[in-house]
Amino acid sequence: MSIINVENVSKKFGEKVILQDVSFGMEAGEKIGVIGINGTGKSTLLKIIAGQEETDQGNVIRRNNLKVAVLPQVPEFPKGKTLLSCITDSIEDMAYGWNMEARAREMLTALELPDVETAEHLSGGELKKLALIQTLIQPSDILILDEPTNHLDLSMVAWLEKELLRYKGAILLVTHDRYFLDRITDRILEIDHGSVYSYLSNYSGFLLAKEARIEASILAEHKRQQFIRTELEWVRRGAQARTTKQKARLQRFEEISSMTRLDINQDGKVEMQSIASRLGNKTVEISGVSKGFENRSLISNFTFTALRNDRIGIVGPNGCGKSTLLKLIAGVERPDTGSIQLGETVKVGYLTQNMDDINSQKPDTRVIDYVRDVAEYINTPDGKVTAAKMLERFLFEGPQQYTPLEKLSGGEKRRLRLLRVLMEAPNVLLLDEPTNDLDIATLAVFEDFISHFDGIVIAVSHDRYFLDNIADRILAFEAGGNLVFYPGNYTDYAKRVGKDPSGMLQTSSGSAGKVAGDIASGDKTDGAAADDRKAAKNDGRRHDDKPRFSYQEKREYETIEADIEALELKNEELDQSIAANASDFAKLSALSAEKEKVETELMEKMERWEYLSNLAERIDSYNQNK
């Protein structure tokens, strides 16, 4: 049953076209994710459907008596109200009586909101949690959620996933959390240059379907160009256009040749290049550091030395001290005890969680002025590049470079702040929730940039997909201010501590001792179990232990590059087959499924190769420094 129909909707802001003649429907119970680069109109589309924004043309038809609950991107609450009253006062239908209030109290406890009297004492993350409760508790037929996972730690994201998987109504949401999209949605709407493309799948299926669409577009463009060349030869030979058939042929040629050329690569992707400074032998050395606030210990006797090209993801619940650790390394905070030493060549680039650096600028400060404060020119692998050109690479085109900072959206501010950090040519990147407000396309480019970045990356993030892509070690904040290193990415860490890759708890204990016992009683060899126990132990001397290959790892390392080459060749052959069968849907589906299987295997091999290569480097480094 259709509950919402969007019919020929268009919307402009000034001269910028946001939506152009968009039409689609939404069925009862559907779970739809909306994606697109920042500024394409995702939030605008949600507001139009919710009835909070008018269209320039077209209509949104909603089923009679449709109950809609909306989570805004930036929630606001009246001053002077208690948290409970903020929730219950917003409920239009109180037919459930005291059960509704009991449910509100239960959700407040689940989201660990502090026992304060009024909402104005809450932090930004806590306000988002309160808004989530206010939205989810409403009796509704459809939930409209704008960036619901922003500011939520991993346990809170897992809680929200459970709530939405239980919800029987329809869901329309915008999020950059790709695992969240995979688990919750069964349909993806992609906004691209004013048009909306619909894919009946979750995020993983969308990637395959979009690739097939692009392949088909490339093939169509190739055929169009081939037709033009053939017809152009016919025209140039001086064919007489006197007969009806000849006139029709000439008209057909003129129509096709006048069509705008299809630009398959016009996604508006950010362009990033590694412009890091040289990093010497001495990097970041932390010795016996402890830090706390108001008699609460956040970090206890932590010792750590960063390795060259380290990729460290930091995880833990909100308020545990993750951001504090980055501030200590950046020199913003001082430790209570212990010391932090940076090498002479270390140049830190620190991307903070908030946008205070931008928000503290003068109101009339323009985008280009903000960047030129760092440098007018920077050196890149392609030579010197102007500040204006760097802005273009980060999707700030011509006139937008002269836009006052206060006019930028949250995503645009985050992208601009990232550019400024990278223009300083750091060799140690400290990233505090870098994925907040960034669109998925920019995240993909950013992750690729990090993989090629010549330096150290230490990132605090609740984005599991991001951590899987960039981290080769996870630093977890555990009880009592203990910090524990786990080898591998987030998925590896989650399996070790009894979670699945989505963050949903499977066991009640995540302690290092429990993990060691579980691993020792599993299917691994005694030697592998001992290595895992050693990796989970936080004695501040992890890197002093002698690194070594197991017998199986050594054999795997010797053959893995050949395995990767074979899979890459197979992938290329499948690409050619997909292009050749773009019009055969059945064949295309089979080829896409096979390609997905090959790419999954290739990704696993690449991740394994990265782990084994890092281990080999550590072995070489250990042997050289003995």
Side-chain angles (χ1 to χ4, degrees):
M1 177 190 296
S2 178
I3 59 173
I4 292 175
N5 281 305
V6 177
E7 298 181 347
N8 307 116
V9 164
S10 295
K11 183 69 177 180
K12 291 173 63 176
F13 289 112
E15 296 299 316
K16 185 177 182 180
V17 176
I18 301 297
L19 301 170
Q20 182 66 48
D21 200 27
V22 168
S23 297
F24 64 89
M26 189 169 184
E27 300 294 314
E30 266 198 304
K31 309 295 189 288
I32 299 179
V34 182
I35 66 174
I37 66 172
N38 288 336
T40 54
K42 302 187 296 294
S43 294
T44 299
L45 180 62
L46 262 58
K47 289 176 181 177
I48 287 174
I49 293 174
Q52 299 173 346
E53 185 87 45
E54 295 294 326
T55 66
D56 293 339
Q57 66 179 48
N59 300 295
V60 176
I61 302 172
R62 303 172 187 85
R63 192 190 70 195
N64 289 337
N65 302 316
L66 185 71
K67 295 179 180 178
V68 180
V70 181
L71 174 74
Q73 193 173 55
V74 182
E76 296 180 357
F77 295 95
K79 293 183 179 180
K81 280 193 174 185
T82 64
L83 305 192
L84 187 62
S85 62
C86 283
I87 298 168
T88 57
D89 290 355
S90 67
I91 300 172
E92 296 179 1
D93 183 1
M94 286 297 291
Y96 299 97
W98 67 269
N99 285 331
M100 190 67 76
E101 183 172 320
R103 175 63 174 147
R105 293 183 184 277
E106 177 189 335
M107 295 172 83
L108 284 169
T109 301
L111 286 180
E112 300 175 357
L113 284 173
D115 185 15
V116 296
E117 292 189 357
T118 57
E120 60 259 32
H121 294 100
L122 300 183
S123 67
E126 289 165 341
L127 285 172
K128 193 60 174 275
K129 291 180 185 180
L130 183 60
L132 267 173
I133 297 174
Q134 187 186 64
T135 304
L136 295 177
I137 206 169
Q138 297 279 349
S140 61
D141 302 306
I142 178 173
L143 293 174
I144 298 181
L145 311 174
D146 198 348
E147 295 290 1
T149 63
N150 268 10
H151 305 294
L152 298 186
D153 62 33
L154 293 169
S155 63
M156 296 299 102
V157 172
W159 175 87
L160 179 58
E161 285 179 351
K162 287 180 180 178
E163 290 292 320
L164 295 185
L165 288 171
R166 284 200 294 257
Y167 180 69
K168 301 302 182 183
I171 297 174
L172 181 67
L173 65 89
V174 170
T175 182
H176 64 260
D177 189 323
R178 289 155 285 183
Y179 280 149
F180 191 82
L181 277 174
D182 241 13
R183 289 184 66 87
I184 300 301
T185 64
D186 51 32
R187 183 178 172 196
I188 297 292
L189 293 179
E190 181 194 20
I191 304 179
D192 186 12
H193 294 83
S195 298
V196 171
Y197 299 90
S198 178
Y199 303 84
L200 291 174
S201 66
N202 61 5
Y203 181 71
S204 296
F206 151 74
L207 292 176
L208 288 171
K210 182 175 181 180
E211 183 179 37
R213 178 172 71 83
I214 291 175
E215 292 285 354
S217 298
I218 291 173
L219 182 61
E221 173 64 15
H222 174 72
K223 289 181 177 179
R224 187 179 78 95
Q225 294 291 337
Q226 190 175 40
F227 172 85
I228 290 174
R229 284 194 296 270
T230 301
E231 295 299 281
L232 185 60
E233 285 300 313
W234 175 80
V235 172
R236 285 174 175 170
R237 284 198 300 268
Q240 298 297 314
R242 285 193 290 266
T243 67
T244 302
K245 183 177 180 180
Q246 288 172 325
K247 287 181 180 179
R249 187 172 184 180
L250 187 58
Q251 183 179 7
R252 168 74 172 154
F253 165 71
E254 290 172 345
E255 287 174 354
I256 291 183
S257 61
S258 64
M259 288 170 56
T260 302
R261 185 184 184 278
L262 297 175
D263 188 353
I264 307 305
N265 296 315
Q266 60 176 348
D267 284 342
K269 290 184 178 179
V270 174
E271 297 179 31
M272 298 185 192
Q273 289 181 310
S274 182
I275 49 177
S277 305
R278 185 187 67 83
L279 183 62
N281 291 328
K282 184 175 180 180
T283 58
V284 178
E285 297 180 358
I286 301 176
S287 179
V289 163
S290 296
K291 183 68 177 179
F293 294 99
E294 299 178 354
N295 299 320
R296 182 188 173 202
S297 175
L298 296 179
I299 300 169
S300 178
N301 194 29
F302 179 54
T303 297
F304 158 70
T305 299
L307 302 177
R308 291 177 61 87
N309 294 317
D310 242 342
R311 299 291 187 270
I312 299 171
I314 303 178
V315 300
N318 285 338
C320 68
K322 302 185 299 297
S323 296
T324 299
L325 178 58
L326 294 191
K327 290 177 181 177
L328 289 169
I329 298 173
V332 176
E333 297 278 358
R334 296 181 63 83
D336 296 336
T337 62
S339 64
I340 298 176
Q341 295 183 351
L342 305 182
E344 292 182 0
T345 61
V346 167
K347 192 171 183 180
V348 173
Y350 181 25
L351 183 68
T352 59
Q353 187 173 160
N354 55 43
M355 290 291 103
D356 287 348
D357 177 66
I358 289 181
N359 295 333
S360 63
Q361 300 287 321
K362 294 179 180 178
D364 60 347
T365 300
R366 301 172 303 176
V367 168
I368 195 163
D369 297 328
Y370 177 74
V371 174
R372 281 175 175 165
D373 281 347
V374 177
E376 180 63 45
Y377 297 92
I378 63 167
N379 292 315
T380 75
D382 295 336
K384 281 190 174 183
V385 176
T386 65
K389 186 64 177 177
M390 287 299 296
L391 280 168
E392 288 179 6
R393 293 182 177 183
F394 274 65
L395 307 185
F396 292 97
E397 302 290 342
Q400 195 179 12
Q401 296 182 9
Y402 296 89
T403 301
L405 296 179
E406 62 181 358
K407 299 292 185 182
L408 299 181
S409 67
E412 289 168 334
K413 286 181 178 179
R414 173 69 60 166
R415 197 188 324 135
L416 182 62
R417 177 68 184 131
L418 176 59
L419 168 59
R420 179 156 158 158
V421 169
L422 297 182
M423 283 188 67
E424 294 170 351
N427 47 35
V428 175
L429 274 177
L430 305 179
L431 308 173
D432 197 352
E433 293 294 353
T435 67
N436 280 357
D437 300 314
L438 290 182
D439 58 70
I440 290 175
T442 301
L443 283 175
V445 177
F446 187 33
E447 289 159 359
D448 182 67
F449 168 84
I450 289 175
S451 70
H452 294 92
F453 178 71
D454 188 15
I456 296 167
V457 178
I458 303 175
V460 170
S461 181
H462 298 135
D463 189 324
R464 299 155 293 180
Y465 199 107
F466 177 77
L467 290 175
D468 270 353
N469 275 344
I470 68 104
D472 55 28
R473 287 196 290 158
I474 296 294
L475 179 59
F477 275 68
E478 299 191 347
N482 292 320
L483 278 67
V484 181
F485 273 107
Y486 294 86
N489 59 17
Y490 177 79
T491 294
D492 298 325
Y493 155 77
K495 290 176 180 177
R496 285 175 181 270
V497 299
K499 301 177 184 179
D500 70 26
S502 73
M504 309 291 276
L505 294 176
Q506 293 178 331
T507 67
S508 60
S509 173
S511 68
K514 177 69 163 61
V515 173
D518 290 345
I519 294 173
S521 63
D523 296 330
K524 291 190 176 184
T525 64
D526 290 341
D531 287 344
D532 286 332
R533 290 196 296 272
K534 184 184 298 182
K537 183 179 179 183
N538 180 30
D539 60 1
R541 302 190 304 272
R542 179 179 182 276
H543 297 295
D544 294 333
D545 294 331
K546 181 179 179 179
R548 57 174 59 84
F549 277 130
S550 68
Y551 174 73
Q552 289 185 342
E553 285 176 335
K554 188 173 186 300
R555 292 189 63 185
E556 184 181 5
Y557 185 54
E558 291 170 350
T559 60
I560 195 166
E561 289 189 7
D563 295 341
I564 289 172
E565 288 180 5
L567 287 169
E568 287 176 336
L569 180 61
K570 178 65 175 176
N571 204 33
E572 290 176 3
E573 292 172 352
L574 286 169
D575 283 338
Q576 295 172 3
S577 298
I578 286 173
N581 293 275
S583 59
D584 186 338
F585 183 77
K587 183 73 171 177
L588 189 62
S589 297
L591 289 169
S592 296
E594 186 178 0
K595 181 177 172 63
E596 180 181 10
K597 183 179 178 182
V598 170
E599 287 183 339
T600 299
E601 188 177 353
L602 179 59
M603 184 64 69
E604 291 172 352
K605 286 286 186 183
M606 290 295 291
E607 290 175 351
R608 187 63 178 162
W609 172 83
E610 185 175 0
Y611 166 75
L612 293 171
S613 297
N614 287 334
L615 180 55
E617 289 179 7
R618 291 171 186 165
I619 292 171
D620 290 343
S621 177
Y622 177 87
N623 291 334
Q624 292 171 9
N625 295 326
K626 276 200 306 182

